[in-house]
Amino acid sequence: MIETSVSRHHQNFFQVIQSYYQLTKPRIIPLLLITTAASMWIASQGKVDPVLLVATLSGGTFAAGAAQTINCIYDRDIDYDMERTRHRPLPSGRVQPRDALIFAIALAVISFTLLAVFANLLSALLAMSGIVFYVGIYTHLLKRHTTQNIVIGGAAGAIPALVGWAAVTDSLGLPAWVIFAIVFLWTPPHFWALALMIRDDYAKVGVPMLPVIAGDTATTRQIWLYTLILIPTTLLLVYPLHVSGIVYAGIALVLGSIFIKKAWALLHDPSNQQQARSLFLYSILYMMLLCAGMVIDSLPITHQVTTAVMAFSGQ
């Protein structure tokens, strides 16, 4: 057993907390919360209830933590085989699988309770569906069996946008699905850029990521294709949906043009690790700034300023 062969003991309670915290893969969670918040701001037309915001983001945090913890349980065998993940709490033996599962269930229960009590049942059920999809569809069915794992699995990372919209409106309007689509289409370029950088790790443990099976050239072509589809999709919030305005449109166009430039550079130099790293890091910044643009554009003061500027320019 992995757990007994490399068992390590915590020296103090702080290290116990740290290990369980690491199970949730906390670096991933902020991006999920940013898309949730952006969706909430658009749905509420820039007037988000602070209590609802905190409760929804907290519920989303616990749901994401639950999903990532179960993912760590499932993948502890391949995590042990990869040098960069060997020292995680489960493969290193600092946390036992049973304890991690209890922790994950507790996080899921807290998430459901928070969302059901402070938001609504729809948002709570959507959060739970995100856990089920990430664990059951992506981790179990797709990750180790198909090169399309990230494409289909990207839906799990896009569900928080639906949670945010549902928390505000208790429904799922078309704009919510557009934000979902934006995150869904963004995921392959984002993750494949990372996969280009750590392809050898995936090859070592038999995970069929696209660069491992199809090679760098085919992967960069797919990144380019998804990028070209992503950028016009971001503008659907402006037209024909009219839930975002000129400020968001300007931000989306500038950010999108940089994304296209970086994807184009990688397309023409598929084996360039620096280009892949540059695109990966920028993709994170892109999503953060795009969501910030959604929030800024939705604010009443932004509408007032743009209306005043347009009125003044028309005189």
Side-chain angles (χ1 to χ4, degrees):
M1 293 292 289
I2 291 172
E3 290 79 6
T4 57
S5 64
V6 292
S7 179
R8 298 179 182 177
H9 300 285
H10 297 102
Q11 300 300 315
N12 52 57
F13 184 69
F14 174 76
Q15 290 182 0
V16 175
I17 298 297
Q18 187 178 41
S19 288
Y20 280 92
Y21 176 71
Q22 289 171 354
L23 283 176
T24 66
K25 298 183 182 178
R27 289 184 297 178
I28 296 174
I29 295 176
L31 273 177
L32 303 177
L33 299 184
I34 288 170
T35 60
T36 305
S39 189
M40 292 181 74
W41 248 283
I42 294 179
S44 64
Q45 298 180 337
K47 301 175 183 178
V48 181
D49 179 348
V51 175
L52 179 62
L53 177 66
V54 171
T56 304
L57 295 183
S58 298
T61 299
F62 287 120
Q68 296 294 351
T69 299
I70 298 173
N71 174 264
C72 284
I73 297 171
Y74 193 92
D75 281 348
R76 67 188 187 279
D77 57 335
I78 61 175
D79 281 347
Y80 181 75
D81 288 335
M82 292 192 293
E83 182 61 34
R84 71 183 183 89
T85 57
R86 180 171 296 178
H87 303 292
R88 286 177 176 174
L90 281 164
S92 69
R94 299 199 309 274
V95 176
Q96 298 302 309
R98 182 197 63 183
D99 298 332
L101 181 59
I102 294 171
F103 177 61
I105 292 172
L107 292 178
V109 170
I110 295 171
S111 170
F112 184 87
T113 303
L114 276 173
L115 291 168
V117 171
F118 291 97
N120 49 61
L121 184 60
L122 177 60
S123 62
L125 290 173
L126 284 167
M128 295 305 101
S129 74
I131 297 175
V132 172
F133 195 98
Y134 185 76
V135 173
I137 304 299
Y138 170 67
T139 303
H140 178 64
L141 293 180
L142 300 175
K143 183 175 181 179
R144 305 192 192 195
H145 300 101
T146 173
T147 58
Q148 294 301 300
N149 46 20
I150 277 304
V151 177
I152 304 170
I159 286 177
L162 301 182
V163 173
W165 192 276
V168 172
T169 66
D170 198 14
S171 64
L172 289 177
L174 188 55
W177 290 106
V178 169
I179 302 173
F180 174 95
I182 290 170
V183 180
F184 180 82
L185 293 169
W186 165 86
T187 302
H190 164 71
F191 207 95
W192 280 333
L194 173 64
L196 285 168
M197 297 159 53
I198 58 174
R199 174 186 54 204
D200 293 344
D201 277 351
Y202 286 124
K204 180 180 179 181
V205 296
V207 175
M209 288 296 176
L210 190 62
V212 175
I213 304 301
D216 294 352
T217 300
T219 301
T220 56
R221 285 174 182 167
Q222 289 296 308
I223 288 174
W224 174 245
L225 177 62
Y226 274 93
T227 302
L228 289 182
I229 299 172
L230 168 65
I231 305 310
T233 302
T234 64
L235 298 176
L236 293 178
L237 294 173
V238 181
Y239 183 84
L241 297 183
H242 302 292
V243 293
S244 294
I246 190 170
V247 172
Y248 166 76
I251 293 172
L253 286 171
V254 171
L255 293 173
S257 64
I258 298 172
F259 207 134
I260 289 175
K261 181 179 178 181
K262 288 185 176 293
W264 178 258
L266 183 59
L267 177 67
H268 285 79
D269 195 359
S271 300
N272 190 318
Q273 293 284 298
Q274 281 301 111
Q275 295 283 14
R277 178 178 173 81
S278 177
L279 178 60
F280 171 70
L281 293 176
Y282 176 73
S283 68
I284 298 173
L285 181 65
Y286 171 85
M287 184 54 67
M288 293 174 64
L289 294 181
L290 188 72
C291 289
M294 295 179 192
V295 172
I296 294 170
D297 186 271
S298 72
L299 299 175
I301 189 172
T302 304
H303 293 171
Q304 295 169 8
V305 170
T306 53
T307 300
V309 170
M310 291 177 68
F312 179 79
S313 62
Q315 291 180 351

